[in-house]
Amino acid sequence: MKRIVIFASGGGTNAENLIKFFHNSDNASVIQILCNNPHAKVLDRAKNLKVSAFAFNRTAFSKTEDVLNILKASQPDLIVLAGFLWKFPEFIIDAFPNKVINVHPALLPKYGGKGMYGMHVHEAIVANNESETGITIHYVNKNYDEGAIIFQAKCDVTNTDTAETVAAKIHDLEMEHFPKVVAQLLK
């Protein structure tokens, strides 16, 4: 059985979708949620779905090996960033080569990099009158949103779209495609 660890920072809809997708799988399961926000809704979602979850602080994540040691003990086959907002430490990436992936709410390389997350991305897309956007699932490297692209899915952006309607379209793409791509990577 392949083991998935998810890092999240907020509401956790992608994490919940992944947990449910793999719940009855013979191939993989989500074994743990790690979160950098002790008040994040993702922790409640994990608890309700009976998945181990806990929060950590910046020191445990990037200044010591506390989170790295938790990961080593969990032995994940894949580490999935699902709405995780901190830059991933290079020493953790190095310990799990080609095993850390992220979903980004735009078609990278456009609208990537520091500060480009969530509504900031959707607002920029609308402000720049883009005709399309989408999601990018990519490997994580030492730079924000610059790892090798695994998968992209697109949607149209109309002249009546707002950042909120674009966010809803992106959410739909994530719900549809993210679990399937994770499953493919674990084959």
Side-chain angles (χ1 to χ4, degrees), residues 24 30 35 46 86 91 95 110 119-120 145 150 152 160:
N24 291 317
V30 175
C35 182
W86 287 356
F91 68 91
K110 293 174 106 179
M119 290 305 287
H120 299 289
D145 304 322
I150 300 164
Q152 290 184 313
T160 59

Side-chain angles (χ1 to χ4, degrees), residues 32-99:
Q32 197 166 54
I33 303 287
L34 300 176
C35 182
N36 61 326
N37 175 357
H39 307 292
K41 186 163 174 58
V42 69
L43 296 171
D44 295 328
R45 290 181 195 270
K47 181 180 176 185
N48 292 337
L49 294 166
K50 297 178 177 34
V51 172
S52 169
F54 60 92
F56 55 86
N57 61 30
R58 195 172 293 275
T59 298
F61 184 56
S62 59
K63 305 225 182 313
T64 69
E65 293 190 350
D66 293 351
V67 171
L68 174 62
N69 290 333
I70 290 165
L71 287 170
K72 285 179 177 178
S74 298
Q75 299 180 330
D77 295 286
L78 195 63
I79 298 168
V80 177
L81 310 188
F84 185 70
L85 300 181
W86 287 356
K87 187 172 182 185
F88 226 65
E90 201 168 341
F91 68 91
I92 296 178
I93 296 167
D94 290 344
F96 295 93
N98 297 314
K99 289 188 177 184

Side-chain angles (χ1 to χ4, degrees), residues 10-28:
T13 56
N14 269 314
E16 180 177 8
N17 191 36
L18 287 164
I19 292 166
K20 288 179 176 179
F21 183 88
F22 289 103
H23 179 70
N24 291 317
S25 170
D26 294 330
N27 183 47

